[in-house]
Amino acid sequence: MNLLDLLNKLKWDKNYDFSKVKVWYISRGKIDDLSFVNGNEIKSIGKFLEIKNGKYIPIHRIVKIEYGGKEIWER
């Protein structure tokens, strides 16, 4: 399953709670270069993750996804 399919499954499949998702990504301008966003902050999924604060995260910067504190995907 590719990254976009996984994110959409976690968001739309009733068997999952998207608020339990944590998406780790490379964040330019940060000292350690890694940041994360929680699933309940994500407005839309496409070539970019649109975040509720108006920020956009390019899909190619995503490095890891956790669900309920467990890693389920890593680049």
Side-chain angles (χ1 to χ4, degrees):
M1 178 177 299
N2 72 38
L3 176 58
L4 287 176
D5 289 342
L6 176 60
L7 286 168
N8 277 303
K9 181 176 183 162
L10 293 169
K11 183 168 178 72
W12 300 110
D13 189 322
K14 301 292 184 206
N15 294 314
Y16 297 98
D17 178 355
F18 203 54
S19 69
K20 294 181 179 181
V21 171
K22 186 182 282 189
V23 177
W24 290 88
Y25 62 95
I26 297 169
S27 176
R28 311 232 184 238
K30 290 277 191 176
I31 293 171
D32 60 1
D33 279 339
L34 282 181
S35 293
F36 68 88
V37 61
N38 291 310
N40 57 354
E41 299 174 71
I42 299 172
K43 282 177 61 174
S44 65
I45 300 167
K47 290 183 180 182
F48 296 86
L49 294 184
E50 182 182 0
I51 310 305
K52 290 182 179 178
N53 66 5
K55 187 175 183 179
Y56 290 86
I57 301 168
I59 289 296
H60 69 270
R61 287 196 190 164
I62 296 174
V63 295
K64 180 171 61 172
I65 297 177
E66 295 177 357
Y67 183 80
K70 294 183 181 180
E71 185 178 304
I72 61 169
W73 183 89
E74 186 174 21
R75 184 172 300 281

